Amino acid sequence: MPPREAATRELGQGMDRIRIVGGTKLNGIIPIAGAKNAALPLMIASLLTPETLVLENVPRLSDVRMLKRILGNHGVDVTVAGKRPGMSTEDGEDVRLTAAHIVDTVAPYELVSQMRASFWVVAPLLARMGQAKVSLPGGCAIGTRPVDLLIMALEKLGADIEIDAGYVIAKAPNGLKGAEITFPKVTVGGTHTALMAAVLARGTTTIHNAAREPEVSDLAECLVKMGAKISGIGTSDLVIEGVTSLHGATHRVLPDRIEAGTYAFAAAMAGGDVTLEGIEAKHLQAALDKLVESGAEVTSTETGIRIRRNGTPIKAVDVTTEAFPGFPTDLQAQFMALMSRANGTSKIVETIFENRFMHVQELARFGAKIRLDGDMAIVEGTGALKGAPVMATDLRASVSLVIAALAAEGETMINRVYHLDRGFEGLEGKLSRCGAQIERIRG
Ligand code: EPZ
């Protein structure tokens, strides 16, 4: 059994399936959860201080539960505030993380192989404790995903790094030293790592070609609340003045732009009128622009974004994934689902990950006509899709099958739902309240 599957069973999620009967328009309000990809680095940042970091609006996801366990292994005390009156099970959690005593600076293979982002613990452990031994995460379903640039950043900051038996052994017994770090390509994890290491380094660090993803800015803003000195937040040049220690803080996780984009595409594909509550359009502009080009109506409301498509056909639109503010790779599979029902042929180019087309063969099971040519998928839209039994290989691919199923005629059974539980909080509830016929079958 792959490690992820074994861990999923251990977390009590079993092998659930999701049954969808498609063809119903979506109408209603969907509250957007806190962003998984912001919550994970924020939780890891708790290792930087002996004081308590309180994170609000943490999504209830299996990746978050897994990271709580991984941090617990390092000695972080993790507690979750109890439910308050009026709170629904879909409201995010308030999580308190206290790393008063780091008892272990080793992140073993068994844990890191289950969640790649946990590799990022290397930075705060090294910055605060002067040492870390962290398993290399290995490849995954969407590509080889090396960590060479993360290691380069730590070496620039003065760390002595050795790779032995699948582990990165990083040492800086006299502390890290500020440096100029230039990333040859934009990397979210590289920027998170460099930031978390540089905040406790002696002197000034400049990160050039830093990732500008909102989740990077969210981490930087939280670090500032913890006492870090960072300027240039939101730009590709970050300047960090190192400090000797950080303190506790309270920070609210920003809303999940990928969850929001997914439901926006679902509404456009199935048709209907859906308001996504709590999301800021500026975090999702490239995706919303493509949605408008495809014929959906998108308007900003006081509380979020409203997506409508009633009767107008879906136009074929080309997309190329790029680092923020470009079109996100994490929405590529979902956009492909939408384009598979368009009037005409579209080209979707994936520039971030080399192997992120595993959904193509599953979308074909609905009758989608997609041809691959290197890093490009050529999608010949077909007027109607038909439900089918499908299975997915990664988180975003799985949800592309959900939105295809919502718009397809008849029944779809989605297997390996544990991928979805990694990144979509309360998916069935949110969609069924908009009229979708969707249910989870416990396995
Ligand atoms: C983050 O992964 C996200 N994960 C991914 O979301 C997201 O797809 C990705 O950023 C891009 O936006 C989390 O935030 C937990 P990268 P990350 O470093 O940081 C190459 C999801 O579904 N690279 O920005 O691992 C790399 O191979 C996930 O939620 C190197 O070559 O991505 C890729 O081609 C999937 N060497 C490109 O850079 C390195 O040392 C961008 O990767 C590091 C990265």
Side-chain angles (χ1 to χ4, degrees):
M1 198 183 295
R4 156 75 58 185
E5 210 160 302
T8 305
R9 280 183 189 273
E10 220 181 299
L11 287 168
Q13 287 159 273
M15 287 290 120
D16 296 357
R17 290 175 299 160
I18 284 184
R19 181 174 168 272
I20 295 173
V21 179
T24 316
K25 286 190 172 182
L26 299 176
N27 286 293
I29 295 173
I30 300 182
I32 298 304
K36 167 181 84 81
N37 288 350
L40 301 179
L42 288 166
M43 290 170 71
I44 290 173
S46 69
L47 287 166
L48 286 164
T49 172
E51 295 182 17
T52 302
L53 176 64
V54 181
L55 295 176
E56 297 171 347
N57 198 32
V58 176
R60 294 163 199 263
L61 299 171
S62 62
D63 269 11
V64 167
R65 284 193 289 278
M66 183 83 74
L67 185 57
K68 285 178 187 165
R69 249 176 56 180
I70 293 170
L71 293 174
N73 198 51
H74 294 298
V76 183
D77 189 27
V78 184
T79 56
V80 176
K83 273 196 191 163
R84 292 185 294 279
M87 216 176 174
S88 103
T89 50
E90 281 168 20
D91 289 330
E93 291 177 334
D94 290 352
V95 179
R96 298 171 63 85
L97 303 113
T98 314
H101 305 286
I102 292 178
V103 295
D104 197 342
T105 53
V106 179
Y109 173 76
E110 295 71 42
L111 297 178
V112 181
S113 59
Q114 286 165 27
M115 196 181 52
R116 292 187 56 83
S118 62
F119 181 80
W120 302 337
V121 299
V122 68
L125 289 175
L126 181 65
R128 184 163 151 210
M129 306 300 287
Q131 60 176 42
K133 180 175 171 186
V134 180
S135 168
L136 285 165
C140 76
I142 62 174
T144 51
R145 304 185 74 183
V147 287
D148 55 321
L149 301 176
L150 285 67
I151 292 174
M152 176 277 281
L154 297 175
E155 279 178 335
K156 287 263 183 218
L157 292 166
D160 176 18
I161 304 224
E162 195 190 320
I163 297 183
D164 185 38
Y167 277 79
V168 172
I169 301 165
K171 290 183 190 142
N174 302 316
L176 296 169
K177 263 175 56 191
E180 293 261 326
I181 299 169
T182 304
F183 284 114
K185 67 160 95 161
V186 176
T187 155
V188 171
T191 310
H192 286 325
T193 306
L195 262 174
M196 285 192 274
V199 287
L200 289 182
R202 277 192 315 281
T204 308
T205 298
T206 310
I207 308 176
H208 300 290
N209 200 23
R212 287 180 283 162
E213 270 65 5
E215 295 74 22
V216 171
S217 302
D218 208 33
L219 173 65
E221 272 156 22
C222 177
L223 291 170
V224 167
K225 287 182 195 159
M226 293 165 74
K229 293 190 176 146
I230 306 172
S231 56
I233 296 176
T235 75
S236 49
D237 290 296
L238 296 169
V239 181
I240 303 112
E241 292 293 336
V243 294
T244 49
S245 63
L246 295 181
H247 51 73
T250 298
H251 183 79
R252 190 172 173 79
V253 179
L254 97 171
D256 196 319
R257 64 195 167 101
I258 304 302
E259 187 198 25
T262 300
Y263 291 130
F265 293 173
M269 190 168 177
D273 184 345
V274 169
T275 298
L276 307 169
E277 246 178 14
I279 183 75
E280 288 196 47
K282 68 172 194 260
H283 290 162
L284 201 59
Q285 204 53 57
L288 295 177
D289 289 348
K290 291 292 172 187
L291 208 49
V292 171
E293 264 185 70
S294 79
E297 261 181 79
V298 178
T299 43
S300 283
T301 70
E302 249 171 56
T303 55
I305 307 168
R306 184 173 175 194
I307 315 290
R308 273 176 293 180
R309 191 178 69 81
N310 279 310
T312 45
I314 302 169
K315 284 191 214 132
V317 177
D318 296 342
V319 150
T320 299
T321 62
E322 279 161 8
F324 191 83
F327 188 96
T329 173
D330 288 347
L331 283 175
Q332 181 255 104
Q334 300 90 312
F335 196 74
M336 196 179 295
L338 174 65
M339 286 300 106
S340 69
R341 272 203 72 189
N343 265 354
T345 302
S346 57
K347 292 183 185 135
I348 299 180
V349 180
E350 172 59 55
T351 70
I352 308 292
F353 292 109
E354 76 271 24
N355 193 26
R356 207 170 197 182
F357 282 133
M358 305 292 271
H359 41 283
V360 167
Q361 64 201 36
E362 293 302 301
L363 287 172
R365 297 171 64 80
F366 293 97
K369 291 187 187 140
I370 306 166
R371 193 160 49 79
L372 287 180
D373 181 5
D375 63 358
M376 185 194 293
I378 298 133
V379 188
E380 214 183 294
T382 120
L385 299 177
K386 263 199 161 153
V390 289
M391 187 179 309
T393 44
D394 82 83
L395 166 60
R396 311 303 175 185
S398 317
V399 86
S400 77
L401 303 178
V402 171
I403 66 178
L406 292 171
E409 278 166 32
E411 183 184 303
T412 293
M413 190 68 83
I414 302 179
N415 295 293
R416 296 193 183 233
V417 165
Y418 64 86
H419 284 296
L420 283 172
D421 294 331
R422 289 185 44 217
F424 291 89
E425 183 179 320
L427 175 103
E428 310 93 271
K430 288 181 182 185
L431 286 170
S432 60
R433 280 195 297 280
C434 289
Q437 290 187 58
I438 176 168
E439 62 171 336
R440 180 181 288 249
I441 300 165
R442 302 270 169 201

